[in-house]
């Protein structure tokens, strides 16, 4: 491609609402433009990268026997009602009506659509296993679209779905898919971790997220050298070896007047007590039923763990009315001792080891001290109920956990029977008996990968593409187009590289060399061949990788430069 013919509107400054390095660089490099909040246009340079990522993914999906399909974006409400997700998906779902008032949504994910397709055409165990995948636009009305294309409302996803005769077959296929995802991350040049994750709105029993390590990541992951990794919502806390309550001196519970003091911080200051000596008492309503959750004052409750334990479809913080009904006191004075109503009390492991705890007295303006778990109150269950903390150890090996920010680029789920049950996707086994299909689903954010790559690979001058996804592998830069022999040499190298199948960009503009170099650095082409009058007199061209400093460039004889460049690229 010749620069003069390329629609590549680079910018010196990014628009002021660009909120991450990748968003700024993609806009400046002329890869994307913003049409509206969370809605972007892909320009030729951006699309070249997107297509390269897409092809890597396609190759890896085909390698695990996937077959590509293309499903509609416009999906009828009836399908979504079969699984109940028309109701639970909430405001993220773009909904619309046709001229006859029939309701549709724009697909945010395609479990319903694919399960419908497969249940209509797969009858026999002989047709299983089956893996179908697609590249398609997804629509999600995100609460907070941000970070450019990273959290957009319209974006490109690869979604794959596998159908199996039994759990065992899903299990072994899941491992294959897991390896395919790892290869995708490696081919995209990522520093990443595959971590255990919660299943969220997609559902199912088990999932992994593929997290690209970057400060701009919206999620925090906990990981360990031993190989353990989980997103911080899913990360398990070590169960204390035993309780030390028996050894500790136990004083009687004491009621203290704490007028208007509600939070751990306020009461802690008043009593000169550490947060770790508090029991935080939280009230929730799970599927309409109030429950009490207890965590230590210096810990954070993990609502996902509570909900998973309760197995409830919904979990909401209780309102003031419920709090008064259950505790007998207004917000801020709840505690595990003397609750007014009979409710389920779930405590974190750490709470069950406390011997002189402070908590609310279930009485306005009063707290209790010297509370002993097991003596003064008995939880209905003692579980891992808190968020992992930065001081925690790895559940697998006991070494200190490490924490990083991560961008979720992919998510693999063992769905099990969730969709085949509600949508009746069945097959006949060898004995002619009807069975439910066992499913897996595997998403990857194709457009998000492009932004994540830039987050990991950039410097003050611009993007630094890894070769596998670079829009062009080589830039040929004649420093002066007016010089006949410079121009001819550059054009000749350009032509030869093209003939060898290399993606090459010739900067044939009548611009100063400085401007050309700046643009090439901004758009991040991995290798640059510069042809200038001085070097050409000695029959040399200058070769430099994007990640090398200017003084690291080297001279290569003109008649060897094409062969050497090809060798470096194919290395
Ligand atoms: P997130 O937690 O970031 O919202 P998710 O759990 O909703 O992601 P999935 O439903 O698992 O995401 O979708 C599969 C993949 O699609 C994600 O791993 C991510 O790479 C990509 N993705 C999800 N939402 C967006 C979005 N709004 N914009 C761009 N890519 C997205
Ligand atoms: Mg989401």
């Amino acid at each position: 491609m010749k620069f003069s013919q390329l629609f590549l509107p680079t910018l010196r400054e990014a628009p002021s609402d660009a909120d991450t390095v990748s968003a700024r660089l993609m806009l400046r490099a002329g890869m994307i433009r913003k049409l509206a909040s969370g809605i972007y246009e892909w320009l030729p340079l951006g699309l070249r990268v997107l297509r390269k990522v897409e092809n890597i993914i396609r190759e890896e999906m085909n390698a695990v026997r996937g077959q590509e399909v293309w499903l509609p974006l416009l999906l009828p409400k009836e399908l979504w009602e079969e699984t109940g997700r028309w109701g639970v998906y909430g405001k993220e779902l773009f909904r619309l009506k046709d001229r006859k008032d029939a309701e549709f949504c724009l697909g945010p994910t395609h479990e319903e659509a694919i399960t419908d397709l497969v249940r209509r055409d797969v009858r026999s165990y002989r047709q299983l296993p089956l893996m179908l995948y697609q590249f398609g636009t997804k629509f999600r009305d995100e609460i907070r679209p941000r970070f450019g294309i990273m959290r957009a409302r319209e974006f490109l996803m690869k979604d794959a779905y596998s159908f199996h005769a039994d759990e065992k077959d899903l299990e072994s296929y899941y491992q294959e898919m897991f390896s395919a995802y790892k290869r995708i991350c490696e081919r995209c040049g990522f520093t990443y971790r595959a971590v255990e994750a919660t299943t969220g709105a997609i559902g199912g029993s088990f999932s992994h997220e593929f997290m690209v390590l970057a400060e701009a990541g919206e999620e925090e992951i906990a990981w360990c050298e031993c190989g353990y990794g989980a997103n911080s919502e899913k990360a398990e806390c070590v169960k204390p070896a035993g309780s030390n309550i028996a050894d500790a001196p136990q004083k009687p519970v004491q009621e203290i007047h704490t007028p208007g003091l509600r939070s751990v911080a306020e009461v802690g200051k008043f009593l000169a007590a550490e947060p770790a000596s508090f029991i935080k008492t939280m009230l929730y309503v799970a599927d309409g039923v109030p429950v009490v959750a207890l965590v230590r004052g210096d810990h954070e409750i993990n609502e996902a763990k509570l909900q998973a334990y309760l197995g409830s479809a919904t979990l909401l913080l209780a309102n003031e009315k419920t709090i008064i009904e259950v505790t007998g006191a207004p917000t801020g004075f709840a505690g595990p001792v003397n609750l007014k109503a009979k409710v389920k009390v779930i405590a974190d492991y750490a709470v069950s080891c406390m011997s002189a705890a402070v908590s609310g007295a279930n009485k306005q303006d009063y707290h209790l001290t010297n509370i002993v778990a097991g003596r003064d109150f008995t939880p209905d269950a003692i579980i891992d109920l808190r968020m992992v903390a930065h001081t925690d150890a790895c559940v697998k090996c006991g070494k200190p956990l490490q924490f990083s920010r991560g961008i979720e680029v992919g998510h693999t789920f063992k769905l099990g029977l969730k969709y085949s049950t509600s949508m009746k996707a069945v097959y006949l086994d060898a004995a002619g008996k009807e069975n439910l299909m066992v499913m897996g689903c595997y998403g990857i954010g194709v457009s998000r990968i492009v932004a994540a790559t830039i987050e990991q690979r950039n410097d003050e001058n611009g993007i630094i593409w890894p070769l596998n996804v670079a829009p062009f592998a080589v830039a040929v830069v004649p420093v002066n187009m007016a010089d006949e022999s410079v121009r001819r040499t550059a054009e000749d190298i350009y032509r030869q590289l093209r003939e060898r199948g290399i993606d090459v960009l010739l900067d044939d503009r009548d611009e100063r060399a400085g401007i050309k170099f700046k643009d090439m650095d901004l758009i991040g082409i991995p290798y640059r061949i510069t042809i200038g009058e001085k070097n050409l007199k000695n029959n040399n061209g200058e070769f430099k990788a994007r990640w090398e400093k200017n003084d690291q460039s080297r001279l290569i004889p003109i008649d060897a430069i094409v062969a050497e460049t090809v060798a470096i690229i194919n290395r």
Side-chain angles (χ1 to χ4, degrees), residues 140 142 149-152 155 157 202 408-411 445 448:
R140 295 184 182 181
E142 299 277 355
I149 52 141
M150 199 122 80
R151 183 164 298 285
F155 59 95
M157 196 202 283
I202 309 275
E408 178 199 318
V409 293
H411 203 166
R448 188 180 282 185

Side-chain angles (χ1 to χ4, degrees), residues 11 34 38 43 63 94 144 150 161 185 193 267 280 292 316 334 338 353 362 406 434-436 457 467 497 515 528 538:
L11 302 171
K34 178 169 163 179
L43 278 45
F94 276 104
R144 270 224 288 166
M150 199 122 80
Y161 307 87
C185 288
R193 295 273 180 296
V267 181
K280 263 197 283 200
V292 168
L316 298 167
N338 298 332
C353 301
N362 296 321
E434 206 173 76
N435 290 295
L436 289 168
R457 290 168 179 264
L467 193 56
L497 284 169
I515 289 180
R528 190 179 82 199
N538 300 319

Side-chain angles (χ1 to χ4, degrees), residues 161-426:
Y161 307 87
S162 68
F163 296 82
H164 307 267
D166 54 36
E167 185 71 34
K168 202 169 131 251
D169 196 56
L170 167 65
E171 172 61 40
S172 74
Y173 189 74
Y174 188 86
Q175 295 310 326
E176 276 191 65
M177 190 55 116
F178 190 82
S179 305
Y181 267 57
K182 280 166 74 172
R183 284 193 300 274
I184 292 167
C185 288
E186 273 144 31
R187 291 178 66 182
C188 290
F190 286 138
T191 304
Y192 73 101
R193 295 273 180 296
V195 302
E196 294 172 16
T198 44
T199 50
I202 309 275
S205 58
F206 196 78
S207 82
H208 284 99
E209 285 171 349
F210 290 76
M211 306 291 269
V212 169
L213 305 189
E215 268 316 301
E218 291 180 281
E219 291 196 54
E220 186 182 54
I221 60 168
W223 56 277
C224 177
E225 293 157 12
C226 77
Y228 177 73
N231 73 21
S232 56
E233 193 182 55
K234 176 82 178 181
E236 288 171 55
C237 302
V238 178
K239 185 177 178 178
S243 160
N244 51 4
I245 290 175
D247 312 331
Q250 296 186 359
K251 297 188 204 141
V253 167
Q254 207 185 337
E255 192 177 87
I256 312 271
H257 191 210
T258 51
L261 307 177
R262 294 162 195 267
S263 67
V264 168
E266 287 164 353
V267 181
K269 196 165 160 218
F270 179 70
L271 295 175
E274 290 297 317
S277 63
F278 278 76
I279 296 174
K280 263 197 283 200
T281 305
M282 329 256 308
L283 256 90
Y284 287 90
V285 178
D287 291 346
V289 182
V291 300
V292 168
L294 308 175
V295 294
R296 213 168 70 185
D298 58 331
H299 289 154
E300 285 301 320
I301 181 136
N302 183 324
E303 294 181 354
K305 288 180 182 173
L306 179 60
Q307 190 168 2
Y309 172 77
L310 295 169
S312 64
T314 60
L315 183 75
L316 298 167
L317 270 173
N319 61 21
E320 182 80 19
K321 183 167 163 277
T322 311
I323 291 172
I324 293 172
E325 276 165 19
V326 172
T327 69
T331 309
F333 302 98
V337 184
N338 298 332
L339 282 161
K340 195 165 157 225
K342 178 94 196 80
V343 285
K344 212 179 226 180
V345 177
I346 318 287
D348 181 60
Y349 291 138
V351 169
S352 71
C353 301
M354 295 176 79
S355 60
V358 183
S359 200
N362 296 321
K363 185 170 156 189
Q364 178 155 12
D365 294 337
Y366 285 90
H367 279 76
L368 301 180
T369 60
N370 300 330
I371 299 173
V372 182
R375 180 190 74 178
D376 304 314
F377 71 96
T378 311
D380 295 283
I382 298 167
I383 63 168
D384 174 10
L385 190 58
R386 66 176 175 92
M387 296 294 294
V388 78
H390 282 210
T391 47
D392 274 319
C394 169
V395 274
K396 291 271 150 59
C397 73
K399 285 205 206 92
L401 279 176
Q402 322 249 11
F403 288 82
S404 306
R405 310 257 358 136
I407 300 167
E408 178 199 318
V409 293
H411 203 166
T412 57
F413 296 79
K414 277 189 211 164
L415 290 174
L417 302 175
K418 179 177 156 117
Y419 293 89
S420 41
T421 305
S422 56
M423 296 185 71
K424 297 193 186 58
V426 293

